[in-house]
């Protein structure tokens, strides 16, 4: 058994059965997540209350943001696989139970809000744990390739999950779509069969000691935040992630809707632009999955973040849908590569004993800034128009890339061979 455990991780990630089991479980969960959101949105819309629908869709983000850091502590305390298995099991039971309820009675806003809150709370545990698993199932040299495979799975899940949810709603109503919670259950046998490597000895005993001696979860959380703040690479990387998300999310989501409406491109035009972005992001993910390693990763990450920021600013200036889709594809390619490299650097730089907490902080920026940036972006576009807002957003994104170039630790960061 020992010989197998040592030899298997030496394979490239896309040929490692252990990584492929994790990828299959992750893909099933992500498709289930897409189907769930589609079903929840339609069930909320059928209550007949526009304000209630908005409340239902926003409810899940609250516990997700509040509990994300606690999810990282739990992943480090119990182990990421246990937390992911528990999260998928609870989500399967939750969604299938609601499907049964909807068969028997019409949905109410109150019931749907409760479901969204519970689902969001479980998501807060799932996201840091699933991000902390790759270093425990493969070698450091394969983490960039795993990030590429994960990004491909995420893109594919969105492409598959949304239409699947729509077809399910159209043919059997929200109850049939919620029954797709079986996808969460399908991930469980794959997760249970994962071969998990033991935690290595920490490189710096002084950093690891607080986590081992912490008497409670609060001290674990504070110890994790202190570890990030003092780390020469992780602290700056968290700032890069925060700046990138702050400048990127609003324009490429809500801002794109308003831009398409302003230019008269309509929903179909927006669809082509989103498709262009998704294609570019999938291309960057495929590049990482195939190459497995990018030399001078810190420098490449910083440069692609800067170049991608130029694309964001240009997106508000192009006159046609075709050109906007091409620019969006360029943004997806550069931003996707920068984001994947940033994630790989986080995973290779973090001490495995802290990886759940480190992942929870980076994920918190993504999931907490998204709902906060929408109203700010909408109000700013209403006041000043899309051009100035996209320019400011691009400058925020560019500041993350500029920070990477200015700081030696980031600029010279390398992925393991």
């Amino acid at each position: 058994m020992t010989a197998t455990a040592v030899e298997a991780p030496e394979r490239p990630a896309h040929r490692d059965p252990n990584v492929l089991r994790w990828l299959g479980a992750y893909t099933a969960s992500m498709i289930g997540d897409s189907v769930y959101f589609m079903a929840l949105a339609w069930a909320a819309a059928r209550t007949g209350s526009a304000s209630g629908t908005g409340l239902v869709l926003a409810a899940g983000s609250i516990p997700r943001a509040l509990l994300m850091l606690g999810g990282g502590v739990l992943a480090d305390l119990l182990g990421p696989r246990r937390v992911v298995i528990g999260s998928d099991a609870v989500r399967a039971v939750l969604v299938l139970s609601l499907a049964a309820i909807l068969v028997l009675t019409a949905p109410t806003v109150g019931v749907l809000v409760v479901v969204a809150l519970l689902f969001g709370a479980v998501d807060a545990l799932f996201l840091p744990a699933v991000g902390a698993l790759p270093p425990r199932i493969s070698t450091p040299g394969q983490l960039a390739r795993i990030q590429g495979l994960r990004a491909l799975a995420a893109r594919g899940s969105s492409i598959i999950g949304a239409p699947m949810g729509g077809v399910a709603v159209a043919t059997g109503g929200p109850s049939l779509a919620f029954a797709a919670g079986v996808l969460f259950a399908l991930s469980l046998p794959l997760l249970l069969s994962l071969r998990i490597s033991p935690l290595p000895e920490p490189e710096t005993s002084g950093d690891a000691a607080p986590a081992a001696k912490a008497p409670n979860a609060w001290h674990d959380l504070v110890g994790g935040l202190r570890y990030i703040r003092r780390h020469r690479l992780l602290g700056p990387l968290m700032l890069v992630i925060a700046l990138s998300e702050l400048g990127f999310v609003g324009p490429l989501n809500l801002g794109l809707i308003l831009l398409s409406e302003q230019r008269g491109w309509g929903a179909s035009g927006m669809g082509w632009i989103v498709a262009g972005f998704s294609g570019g992001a999938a291309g960057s993910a495929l590049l990482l999955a195939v190459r497995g390693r990018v030399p001078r990763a810190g420098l490449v990450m910083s440069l692609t973040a800067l170049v991608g920021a130029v694309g964001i600013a240009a997106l508000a200036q192009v006159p046609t849908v075709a050109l906007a889709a091409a620019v969006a594809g360029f943004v997806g390619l550069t931003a996707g590569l920068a984001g994947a490299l940033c994630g790989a650097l986080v995973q290779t730089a973090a001490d495995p004993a802290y990886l759940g907490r480190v992942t929870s902080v980076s994920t918190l920026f993504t999931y907490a800034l998204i709902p906060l940036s929408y109203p700010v972006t909408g109000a700013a576009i209403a006041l000043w128009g899309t051009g100035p807002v996209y320019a400011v957003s691009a400058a925020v994104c560019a500041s993350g890339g500029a920070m990477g170039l200015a700081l030696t630790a980031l600029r010279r960061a390398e992925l393991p061979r």
Side-chain angles (χ1 to χ4, degrees):
M1 294 181 64
T2 303
T4 302
V6 172
E7 292 172 6
E10 296 296 330
R11 302 173 182 173
H14 61 283
R15 297 178 183 174
D16 185 349
N18 204 42
V19 173
L20 294 178
R21 285 192 291 268
W22 170 83
L23 188 66
Y26 176 74
T27 303
S29 293
M30 293 301 292
I31 294 175
D33 207 44
S34 295
V35 174
Y36 155 79
F37 186 81
M38 175 69 72
L40 182 72
W42 277 101
R46 291 185 178 184
T47 63
S49 169
S51 60
T53 301
L55 180 62
V56 169
L57 296 182
S61 64
I62 298 171
R64 191 181 294 118
L66 293 177
L67 301 177
M68 188 74 70
L69 296 180
V73 172
L74 196 63
D76 287 336
L77 182 64
L78 301 180
R81 180 174 65 168
R82 290 182 182 178
V83 176
V84 172
I85 289 173
S87 300
D88 273 352
V90 171
R91 291 196 292 180
V93 171
L94 181 64
V95 173
L96 291 171
S97 298
L98 184 59
I101 292 173
L102 294 176
V103 169
L104 301 174
T105 183
T108 65
V109 170
V111 169
L112 296 177
V113 165
V114 169
V115 171
L117 288 171
L118 292 174
F119 198 93
V122 178
D123 250 5
L125 307 182
F126 171 81
L127 291 167
V130 78
L133 264 177
R136 303 288 299 275
I137 61 174
S138 188
T139 57
Q142 294 300 316
L143 289 179
R145 182 173 274 128
I146 292 176
Q147 288 294 313
L149 292 172
R150 182 182 177 183
L152 278 175
R155 293 292 166 190
S157 299
S158 298
I159 293 171
I160 296 171
M164 183 184 295
V167 171
V169 169
T171 57
S175 61
L176 180 58
F178 278 116
V182 71
L183 287 164
F184 295 120
L186 288 176
S187 72
L188 298 178
L190 294 171
L191 292 168
L192 288 168
S193 65
L194 284 181
R195 187 178 58 254
I196 302 296
S197 302
L199 285 174
E201 291 295 324
E203 295 181 6
T204 306
S205 58
D207 285 341
K213 296 180 179 179
N216 56 46
W218 174 253
H219 288 155
D220 280 344
L221 174 58
V222 172
L225 296 175
R226 186 181 296 117
Y227 170 76
I228 294 172
R229 180 173 60 84
R230 293 176 176 175
H231 198 286
R232 60 190 293 270
L233 186 59
L234 291 176
L237 275 172
M238 294 300 130
L239 290 177
V240 171
I241 292 171
L243 290 170
S244 298
E245 292 294 334
L246 183 61
F248 177 81
V249 171
L252 269 296
N253 287 280
L254 177 63
L256 194 56
I257 297 173
L258 299 177
L259 178 65
S260 298
E261 181 181 356
Q262 183 183 86
R263 298 292 177 84
W265 294 338
S268 61
M270 178 183 168
W272 282 110
I273 299 171
V274 171
F277 174 81
S278 299
S284 66
L286 184 61
L287 174 66
L288 268 184
V290 172
R291 283 189 58 89
R293 184 181 182 273
V294 175
R296 308 191 72 179
L299 179 62
V300 173
M301 177 200 73
S302 303
L303 289 175
T304 50
L306 276 173
V307 175
V310 175
I312 292 175
L315 195 58
Q317 307 300 327
V318 295
T320 66
V321 171
L323 191 54
V327 173
F330 174 77
V331 172
L333 180 65
T334 53
L337 183 57
L341 288 175
C342 192
L345 287 170
V346 167
Q347 291 194 333
T348 54
D351 188 310
Y354 286 91
L355 191 53
R357 281 163 285 181
V358 172
T359 304
S360 71
V361 173
S362 62
T363 309
L364 175 66
F365 287 130
T366 303
Y367 282 87
L369 288 175
I370 284 176
L372 292 177
S373 65
Y374 286 165
V376 175
T377 301
I381 289 177
L383 286 173
W384 299 299
T386 53
V389 172
Y390 269 68
V392 171
S393 297
V396 173
C397 284
S399 65
M403 178 183 294
L405 293 176
L407 297 178
T408 303
L410 277 180
R411 187 176 66 253
R412 296 183 177 176
E414 291 280 8
L415 294 172
R417 293 186 180 275

